[in-house]
Amino acid sequence: MSQKKPNYNLIGKSPRKVDGLSKCTGVTKFADDLELPRMLFCKIHRSHVAHARIVSIDTSAAEKIPGVKAVLTGKSLPISFGILPVSQDEHALCLDKVRFVGDPVAAVAAIDEDIAFDAINAIKVEYEPLDPVFEPEEALKNEVPPIHDYGDDGNVHKRVSMEFGDVEKSLADSDEVFEDIFFYEGNTHLAMEQHSSLAWMDPDSRITIWSSTQTPHYLHRAAAKVLEMPPSRVRIVACPNGGGFGGKSDPFNHEIVVAKLAKMTNRPVKVTLTREEVFYCHRGRHPVLMRSKMGVKKDGTIQGLHFETLLDGGSYGSYGVASTYYTGALQTVTYKVPTYRFDGVRAFTNKAPCGPKRGHGTPQPRFGMEVQLDKVAAKYGLNPATLRLSMMQPKDSITANWLRIGSMGLSRCIEKVVEGSDFNNRHGKLPRGSGVGIACSSYICGAGLPIYWNNLPHSGVQLKCDRGGGVAVFCGETDIGQGSDTVLATCVAEVLGVDLYDIRIVAGDTDLTPVDLGSYSSRVTLMMGNAAIQAAERARELLAKAVGEKLEVPGSRLGFAENRIFDVENTETGVTFAEGVVLAESKFGTIGTVGSYTPPPSPGRFRGHGVGPSPAYSYSAAVVEVSVDEETGMITVDKVWIGHDIGQSINETLVIGQVEGSVYMGLGEALMEEMTYRGNRFGVHKIPSLLDYKSPTTKEMPEVVTYLIEEPDENGPFGAKEVGQGPLLPIMPAVANAVYDALGVRVDEVPITPAKVLKALSNKDLRHGPTRFPDLKITEQDRMRVKTQEEGGDGRSDKPFDRKKKKEAVKP
C-alpha cells in the first residue's frame, strides 16, 4: 500500500521561532496565525474471521474520506513484540495472518471518531480461510496447521512436567487416592475504564505515550523496539487507571499504533477502545481443565499430589508460559504436600488471547484443590476446618517444590472465620437449602524474578527534600486503583516523620522516574515499599547527622515525628523538619537519595523455578454462607467471613477495600461470569458487552466480615504483605463447598449456575462437572525430577539448568 504523505498542521515542517523561543515549547506567546496541532482520533479495523491469511488490504476508499489524515497497515510495523521474551508473537497490525475474531488489521487517524469509524468500515480486506482450532483438546491432536510457528509442539504452546519426590510411591502408600476432574471457565477483568492511549511526537522527535497501562516499563521496551527508536527518545506516562486487574499489564497493539500515527501526522493521536474491543483485547482468566490425584491418610493428611492442567490460551502467547507454571506452582505453599508432580499444557486456539487476571493462574487450581479437600473431609467424616488446621505448611520452611515460606498466618485466619461464622456448630447442621463452606488460599507478594532475567533492581525510588519541608518522591510504580501512591507516600512519611500532605508523588513516567517493573503479581507494596524505606532512611541519616551536630546530640538519639526532628530523651530540644533539611543541605549539598529493591534468591535451581518464588506469601481463609432454591437452582450468598494474613497493614482502609473487592470479584467468578463463544465454528464472542456479560451488582453483594491478621514478615516493608489478589482465591471453592453443604450436590466447575445445580440434583452421583481428561502426551523426556529437601536434594533437577545460557538468550 502506498502510504499517504504525512499531514502537518504546524506552520512549516519545523517549529518557528517567536520572541526568540520555539513556539512549540508552550512557554511564551504564540504567533497570531499559529494553528496548533489538532488531536486526531484513531480507530482500528479488526478481523471478522477467526483464522485466515491476509490476501490483500485495500485502503484507497478510506484514504479518500474527508477528515482522514492517515491510514496504517502492518507493513509499516513489521517488528513483533510481546510481554515475555519467549513469546514475541504479536504485531501492532497483522502482517500476513489473522488468528482470532478481533485481531487488528489496519488503523486510521481522523479528525473525529465518526469519520474514523466510517474509514475503518471502508477498508476492504480479502482473506483466505484457514482451518481454525477452538478447543484445547483439538489443539492437542495437531491435525491442522499450527496457529504459530513456534511452541513446544504444533498448537501446544507450552508443555511442562515437574516431579518433586516419588509421587507414585506416595500415592501407592496412601490409604486412599482421590481422583477428581474440575473445570474453571475463563472470564474477563471487566475494569470500569476501557483501554485508552494518546501519543504525540514533540518537536524534538521524541514520542510520548500516555496510556492506561499497568506496566509502563515493559510498554517502553516494546514501543521502542517496534517503532525502531532509541529508548531514550520514547516516553511512557502511565495514567491513573480505572481498574486493571491484570488486563492492562501487556503492551498492546493500540498503544503502538497511536504512536506510529502520531509520527506519521505530527499530531496528537488518541484511541479509546469500545467495550466490545476490550473483550477482544481480553488477556483474562484462562479456561482450565484440571485433574487432581490426591493420596491421603485416613486422617485426611496429604501424602502425595499429582496435578494436571490443560489451559486454553487463545491466539497469542501473552503471559501464557508463566500462566502454565502458575497453575501448578503454588499448590504446595498452603498445606504440607510431601511429594508433588505437576503436568501442564497451554494450547493455542483461535480465540481472544488469555493472560493474567487477578490471582494469575492460581484461582483455577486452588478451586480444584479446596473442593477436593472438602470431599476428603466428607468421606472420612472430618471437620473441613480442622482438617486444614492439621496440615499447615510450617512457617520458615521449604516446600516440596523448593519455595521458601516465611511468615504464615493461615491458622489464625481459619480460626477467626470459623469463630465468627460459628462454622463448627453450623456446618452440616443447617436446614436443607442452607449451607456454609470453607476454603483457604495463598498468593505471592511479587515474583522473585523479573520478566527479563537480569540482576537489576525490581523497583527504584528517588527522594528529594526541599528547604520548605516538602519531600518529592519519584518512582515508576503505577496506581491502578489499589492505592500504591498512598502506600509510597506513607512509607516515606513514616520514616521521615512528615505529614502525608507534604509528600509529592511523581509516578509511572519513564522519563522522570526510576524503573519499577509494574503493577502485577501483587509486587508493588513489598518491592516499592522497601525501596522507598531505603531511600527515606538514607535521607534521614543525612538529616540526623546535620541536626545532631547543631543540637550537640548523637544522631542515633534523634526522633522524626510530626514534622520535627528532636532529641527523644528531651523532646523539647529539636528543630522543624524544614530547618533540618536546611542544616543538612548546608552540610552536604542538595539532599537527594535513592533506594532500590531486589528479591532474595530462590532455593530452586531447576528449569521453571522462576515461577512461584516470592519474598513472602500472603494467606486467606473464607467461610461463605448460601441459600439454594432446590426448585430453581438459584444460589444466594447470604454472608461472607474472610480472614487475610496481611503481615502489617500500612493503610487499613485500603487493605479492607482490597479484601472486599476480591470477595466481590470472586463471587462473580463463582456464580455467573464466563467468557463464552457462539457455538464451536466461528470463534465469535457470545456476550461482548456489559449488557450481556453478567457480573454481580450491589443487589448480589452480601455482607462481608473482614478479619485482618497481622503477623509481620521480615521481608515486607514494616512487615507488610500483599492484599490485592490473594483474598479472591478462596471465594470460589468456598461457594462450591457451601452449595454441597446446602443440598449435598457437587458442582465441580465454575461458574456454578442454577442450571448446573439442577443437573447435579438430577444426576445419580449428585454431581455436575467434567468427566474426562485428555492425554497431555507427557513423555519421560518432558518430565523433570527434583529431589525434595527431605530426600536430601539441593534444588537441582536431573536435567541440569544452565542459568548462564538462559541469561545469554534473554539479555536485559
Side-chain angles (χ1 to χ4, degrees):
M1 183 193 75
S2 60
Q3 199 66 247
K4 282 190 70 177
K5 183 179 179 181
N7 179 283
Y8 296 91
N9 250 17
L10 286 172
I11 301 172
K13 292 187 178 181
S14 61
R16 195 161 52 123
K17 297 291 181 177
V18 179
D19 294 341
L21 292 175
S22 166
K23 66 185 175 183
C24 292
T25 63
V27 297
T28 188
K29 69 178 184 179
F30 293 101
D32 292 338
D33 61 345
L34 174 65
E35 184 182 354
L36 291 175
R38 180 180 175 186
M39 186 172 73
L40 302 177
F41 295 86
C42 168
K43 289 297 173 185
I44 298 172
H45 180 98
R46 298 180 182 274
S47 168
H48 65 276
V49 295
H51 198 200
R53 296 192 188 281
I54 299 174
V55 177
S56 65
I57 304 174
D58 182 358
T59 64
S60 58
E63 293 173 359
K64 295 174 183 176
I65 295 175
V68 171
K69 300 300 181 182
V71 180
L72 183 65
T73 65
K75 292 180 181 179
S76 299
L77 293 165
I79 297 175
S80 64
F81 69 96
I83 185 64
L84 299 186
V86 295
S87 300
Q88 300 282 300
D89 59 0
E90 298 187 57
H91 288 89
L93 297 169
C94 296
L95 286 177
D96 55 359
K97 189 162 78 166
V98 295
R99 294 174 171 86
F100 73 103
V101 173
D103 227 354
V105 177
V108 301
I111 60 174
D112 64 42
E113 286 190 307
D114 290 338
I115 293 174
F117 268 122
D118 290 341
I120 62 170
N121 289 331
I123 295 173
K124 305 298 181 185
V125 183
E126 181 183 350
Y127 295 106
E128 176 190 331
L130 298 171
D131 291 334
V133 177
F134 292 126
E135 297 298 331
E137 289 189 50
E138 285 183 66
L140 287 173
K141 297 175 184 177
N142 279 325
E143 294 177 348
V144 298
I147 295 170
H148 290 281
D149 59 4
Y150 77 101
D152 286 357
D153 179 21
N155 281 318
V156 172
H157 178 204
K158 186 65 181 177
R159 181 176 279 121
V160 176
S161 183
M162 314 165 80
E163 185 170 14
F164 305 90
D166 192 338
V167 175
E168 186 174 340
K169 182 178 185 302
S170 295
L171 296 179
D173 292 344
S174 299
D175 291 328
E176 186 169 352
V177 175
F178 286 73
E179 181 172 341
D180 292 285
I181 301 174
F182 303 96
F183 178 65
Y184 200 109
E185 181 60 271
N187 49 67
T188 198
H189 313 84
L190 217 65
M192 291 180 68
E193 178 193 44
Q194 298 119 272
H195 300 251
S196 188
S197 300
L198 182 143
W200 160 240
M201 173 170 270
D202 68 24
D204 295 325
S205 299
R206 295 167 57 91
I207 281 285
T208 299
I209 304 173
W210 293 265
S211 193
S212 56
T213 178
Q214 295 179 228
T215 53
H217 171 66
Y218 291 118
L219 174 56
H220 183 251
R221 293 182 66 115
K225 174 188 176 185
V226 178
L227 296 171
E228 299 181 88
M229 295 180 66
S232 61
R233 304 192 71 79
V234 177
R235 177 188 183 191
I236 308 298
V237 180
C239 303
N241 277 212
F245 314 116
K248 298 170 184 173
S249 53
D250 282 73
F252 283 98
N253 49 68
H254 62 268
E255 295 169 313
I256 297 170
V257 163
V258 291
K260 181 66 175 180
L261 288 169
K263 287 185 68 176
M264 292 169 60
T265 61
N266 199 31
R267 293 168 70 167
V269 181
K270 179 182 179 181
V271 63
T272 299
L273 303 189
T274 65
R275 179 61 61 177
E276 184 174 355
E277 287 181 296
V278 174
F279 276 88
Y280 296 145
C281 282
H282 193 40
R283 317 302 163 115
R285 187 87 69 214
H286 285 74
V288 180
L289 184 67
M290 299 163 276
R291 179 166 61 188
S292 178
K293 296 180 182 177
M294 181 186 291
V296 301
K297 292 295 186 183
K298 289 182 179 179
D299 62 3
T301 55
I302 300 171
Q303 302 304 298
L305 177 63
H306 181 193
F307 201 80
E308 300 171 272
T309 63
L310 175 59
L311 294 78
D312 184 342
S315 50
Y316 288 99
S318 184
Y319 285 82
V321 171
S323 307
T324 307
Y325 280 105
Y326 270 127
T327 59
L330 301 188
Q331 297 297 79
T332 60
V333 301
T334 310
Y335 312 113
K336 182 72 172 176
V337 179
T339 63
Y340 179 51
R341 175 178 165 184
F342 168 61
D343 298 324
V345 166
R346 184 182 193 259
F348 284 126
T349 60
N350 292 114
K351 294 187 283 192
C354 297
K357 185 188 173 186
R358 204 172 194 170
H360 189 192
T362 63
Q364 302 97 318
R366 179 55 53 184
F367 174 79
M369 187 174 194
E370 293 295 321
V371 172
Q372 192 168 46
L373 281 175
D374 206 64
K375 294 183 180 185
V376 171
K379 175 67 180 291
Y380 291 118
L382 302 171
N383 181 304
T386 304
L387 170 61
R388 288 166 168 82
L389 285 168
S390 71
M391 54 182 185
M392 295 286 98
Q393 176 68 31
K395 67 177 183 179
D396 301 320
S397 63
I398 302 293
T399 68
N401 58 337
W402 291 91
L403 301 179
R404 181 182 287 112
I405 308 299
S407 63
M408 212 280 194
L410 181 56
S411 295
R412 287 180 60 197
C413 290
I414 294 174
E415 290 164 357
K416 277 290 188 182
V417 297
V418 166
E419 178 185 3
S421 64
D422 198 19
F423 182 84
N424 292 338
N425 293 321
R426 301 175 71 214
H427 181 257
K429 301 170 186 177
L430 294 175
R432 183 168 177 80
S434 297
V436 289
I438 190 170
C440 302
S441 68
S442 57
Y443 198 63
I444 59 175
C445 299
L449 290 171
I451 289 174
Y452 288 78
W453 284 22
N454 55 61
N455 295 320
L456 299 171
H458 292 212
S459 187
V461 170
Q462 290 178 326
L463 189 149
K464 177 185 74 70
C465 298
D466 68 58
R467 301 171 189 177
V471 180
V473 185
F474 300 82
C475 181
E477 60 89 10
T478 307
D479 197 317
I480 57 173
Q482 84 280 38
S484 57
D485 285 357
T486 300
V487 171
L488 175 58
T490 302
C491 288
V492 173
E494 182 73 15
V495 174
L496 295 181
V498 299
D499 193 288
L500 277 175
Y501 289 101
D502 291 324
I503 304 285
R504 293 293 178 266
I505 300 296
V506 180
D509 186 325
T510 59
D511 261 14
L512 303 181
T513 61
V515 168
D516 178 272
L517 297 182
S519 290
Y520 64 93
S521 295
S522 277
R523 56 174 298 286
V524 179
T525 290
L526 189 140
M527 298 191 184
M528 171 203 73
N530 278 321
I533 289 171
Q534 185 181 78
E537 286 178 341
R538 288 171 172 172
R540 176 176 169 140
E541 183 179 352
L542 294 174
L543 268 64
K545 286 181 180 178
V547 174
E549 288 183 7
K550 172 70 174 179
L551 302 180
E552 298 181 348
V553 172
S556 59
R557 214 172 79 191
L558 293 177
F560 287 66
E562 298 180 348
N563 283 60
R564 294 183 67 242
I565 305 172
F566 54 88
D567 183 354
V568 295
E569 295 183 4
N570 180 12
T571 57
E572 297 299 317
T573 301
V575 299
T576 66
F577 181 80
E579 291 169 339
V581 173
V582 170
L583 290 169
E585 191 171 339
S586 300
K587 181 177 178 62
F588 299 109
T590 300
I591 303 302
T593 57
V594 298
S596 59
Y597 179 77
T598 302
S602 164
R605 291 294 183 271
F606 50 86
R607 184 168 297 279
H609 81 277
V611 177
S614 178
Y617 297 89
S618 71
Y619 294 90
S620 304
V623 170
V624 173
E625 181 177 352
V626 302
S627 299
V628 188
D629 189 313
E630 194 165 359
E631 293 186 0
T632 65
M634 286 293 296
I635 302 169
T636 301
V637 177
D638 300 312
K639 195 168 182 177
V640 175
W641 296 262
I642 184 164
H644 182 68
D645 169 21
I646 184 62
Q648 173 66 52
S649 295
I650 290 178
N651 184 303
E652 188 173 282
T653 300
L654 290 177
V655 170
I656 292 175
Q658 287 294 298
V659 172
E660 295 185 358
S662 291
V663 171
Y664 166 83
M665 186 170 280
L667 292 175
E669 296 194 20
L671 299 173
M672 61 191 75
E673 294 192 33
E674 53 185 338
M675 190 84 164
T676 55
Y677 295 78
R678 296 179 186 175
N680 197 27
R681 295 174 55 201
F682 305 111
V684 177
H685 272 295
K686 186 177 181 181
I687 45 176
S689 75
L690 290 182
L691 179 64
D692 298 308
Y693 183 92
K694 302 303 180 187
S695 65
T697 67
T698 54
K699 185 177 179 180
E700 287 81 35
M701 187 65 182
E703 179 186 354
V704 179
V705 179
T706 301
Y707 304 99
L708 300 182
I709 306 304
E710 295 187 321
E711 291 192 5
D713 191 286
E714 64 178 13
N715 286 331
F718 308 115
K721 299 199 284 190
E722 77 86 32
V723 67
Q725 304 187 61
L728 165 80
L729 275 62
I731 301 301
M732 295 75 73
V735 170
N737 294 338
V739 170
Y740 174 76
D741 190 49
L743 291 181
V745 298
R746 292 287 183 188
V747 180
D748 286 345
E749 62 179 56
V750 294
I752 306 167
T753 62
K756 294 174 184 177
V757 172
L758 294 178
K759 286 180 181 178
L761 284 167
S762 66
N763 291 338
K764 290 183 179 180
D765 59 357
L766 297 178
R767 175 190 180 271
H768 175 78
T771 57
R772 58 179 302 275
F773 191 88
D775 181 4
L776 297 182
K777 300 181 180 179
I778 301 291
T779 66
E780 282 299 314
Q781 186 176 0
D782 295 322
R783 188 168 304 139
M784 177 187 65
R785 291 182 170 86
V786 182
K787 287 184 178 181
T788 66
Q789 188 180 53
E790 292 180 358
E791 293 176 310
D794 59 2
R796 291 176 169 80
S797 75
D798 58 348
K799 297 178 180 179
F801 176 64
D802 191 339
R803 182 186 290 271
K804 182 179 179 181
K805 184 177 180 181
K806 175 71 174 178
K807 284 188 176 181
E808 288 173 353
V810 184
K811 294 182 179 180

